Amino acid sequence: MDFEVPDGGETIPLPGFAVVTGFFSVVGVATAMALLRWSTRPAQRFVWTAVSLTVTSSVPPLIAGADTTTAIALVGLHLLAAAVMIPALVRGLRGALAVLRPLG
């Protein structure tokens, strides 16, 4: 399958998926850490933030003019990454809260 987007007509390289997914996973970790530090309900706020950003990031593949198969695959990849990262980070936040709660 070629992941070609008509704006510029270039094919998205396969390693590009890993780089972008890794980058935004790091952004997710940083967001979770910030919420842990400054929020009273970090896990709940992280879920809302992450789900909102996942939905938002799923829009460009749908409106970029790519063919249906490419658009569905790109949205599916967004959802797959979110399905892995969001629960993992929420578990981490809840675990950190369980450790920190007795201290403070």
Side-chain angles (χ1 to χ4, degrees):
M1 167 186 281
D2 288 334
F3 292 101
E4 187 174 310
V5 181
D7 291 342
E10 299 210 12
T11 301
I12 301 169
L14 200 52
F17 290 109
V19 170
V20 172
T21 301
F23 174 78
F24 283 105
S25 294
V26 170
V27 170
V29 170
T31 302
M33 290 172 57
L35 288 170
L36 182 62
R37 171 79 171 103
W38 290 297
S39 176
T40 56
R41 297 186 320 226
Q44 182 180 4
R45 291 186 194 267
F46 179 78
V47 169
W48 281 104
T49 301
V51 168
S52 299
L53 291 172
T54 300
V55 170
T56 302
S57 71
S58 296
V59 173
L62 298 174
I63 63 174
D67 65 32
T68 304
T69 306
T70 298
I72 290 171
L74 291 171
V75 170
L77 289 169
H78 277 85
L79 297 176
L80 177 63
V84 171
M85 289 304 298
I86 293 172
L89 289 171
V90 168
R91 278 191 304 275
L93 284 169
R94 289 187 177 140
L97 285 174
V99 170
L100 295 174
R101 195 169 286 139
L103 300 176

